[in-house]
Amino acid sequence: VRLDASGERLSLVDNRGDRIAGWKLLGVVASLVLREARSGQIAVPVTAPRIFEWIAKKYGGTVVRTKADSKALMEAATQDGVILAGDEAGGLIFPAFHPAMDAIFATVKILELLESLDATLSAELDALPPYQTAETNVPCPWESKGKVMRLLSQQYQSTGPRSVDGVRVDLGETEWVLILPDPDRPLFHIIAESETKDGARTVTEKYAALVSSLQR
């Protein structure tokens, strides 16, 4: 286990010597938590791939999507029924303990879950479904970000569920794209999921070009 300097985030190396990080780390922990609980909600950001809906369905849970920041995850962790919240950067929240990221508690909890379920990290990792995502950034002047968001919202307001953060466009059962304005920098994040890596990259390029064109 490796903890960051703040003691909030962690990464793991499994029993085969493979590093587990990113969404795979959260996916493994979500699987363990829901296997034990057999119900409950897991809170993940809108940027997370659809594997979490798959995990929740498999183990009798549900997914809550939040804005793409730590504060939103902590707020979700205070809601009734949420048993785990986490992000791509190794931040894990176990609300039964407290609604904040705590890598030391998360380490102990993961060890406890592995023991009680007679599980291994590698087996949990292998059980996750494959997913393919891609991300790119598009520069955008501050004065144009509001205009771009307004035009995107108007164009895609009926293409999927109401966006929690940014503008999400559902392109089919296995493909989506999220256009997310950066809160601190003059740019947009374009995040996509598809059946293949090339497919996800193609989607990000298409919508990056769209965001660029809307600035004119």
Side-chain angles (χ1 to χ4, degrees), residues 3 6 10 50 54 58 70 91 186 193:
L3 280 60
S6 69
L10 68 128
R50 284 179 170 167
W54 181 92
K58 182 178 181 181
S70 299
E193 180 177 10

Side-chain angles (χ1 to χ4, degrees), residues 9-121:
R9 302 177 185 276
L10 68 128
S11 61
L12 301 175
V13 174
D14 70 11
N15 45 296
R16 294 181 302 208
D18 296 327
R19 183 169 179 260
I20 307 177
W23 296 125
K24 289 183 178 180
L25 171 58
L26 183 56
V28 164
V29 177
S31 296
L32 291 169
V33 169
L34 283 174
R35 274 180 63 191
E36 182 185 59
R38 288 294 168 182
S39 64
Q41 297 178 324
I42 53 175
V44 300
V46 291
T47 52
R50 284 179 170 167
I51 61 167
F52 296 98
E53 278 76 12
W54 181 92
I55 293 167
K57 183 178 180 180
K58 182 178 181 181
Y59 296 114
T62 55
V63 176
V64 177
R65 295 275 175 167
T66 74
K67 290 186 175 182
D69 60 64
S70 299
K71 179 182 177 182
L73 284 170
M74 289 188 287
E75 290 174 349
T78 65
Q79 303 302 309
D80 291 341
V82 176
I83 59 175
L84 175 70
D87 63 16
E88 185 184 14
L92 299 170
I93 301 173
F94 292 87
F97 182 59
H98 63 176
M101 295 176 182
D102 186 328
I104 296 175
F105 179 81
T107 300
V108 175
K109 186 64 179 178
I110 291 168
L111 290 171
E112 178 187 73
L113 289 166
L114 291 171
E115 176 67 22
S116 65
L117 296 170
D118 191 23
T120 63
L121 289 175

Side-chain angles (χ1 to χ4, degrees), residues 130-133 172-176 192-201 203:
Y131 67 93
Q132 300 295 336
T133 59
E173 292 186 2
T174 60
E175 194 170 78
W176 56 268
E193 180 177 10
S194 187
E195 292 183 344
T196 66
K197 195 69 176 179
D198 286 343
R201 191 177 299 111
V203 173

Side-chain angles (χ1 to χ4, degrees), residues 121-166:
L121 289 175
S122 61
E124 296 301 316
L125 182 63
D126 290 344
L128 294 178
Y131 67 93
Q132 300 295 336
T133 59
E135 181 175 355
T136 191
N137 296 330
V138 180
C140 179
W142 283 109
E143 60 271 18
S144 299
K145 289 176 78 173
K147 170 191 170 184
V148 171
M149 282 297 296
R150 184 179 68 255
L151 292 173
L152 288 169
S153 298
Q154 292 171 352
Q155 185 169 350
Y156 295 109
Q157 60 183 348
S158 62
T159 60
R162 183 177 64 85
S163 294
V164 174
D165 200 4

Side-chain angles (χ1 to χ4, degrees), residues 179-193:
I179 304 166
L180 185 66
D182 190 285
D184 302 314
R185 295 175 293 170
L187 58 84
F188 280 88
H189 302 281
I190 315 296
I191 305 160
E193 180 177 10

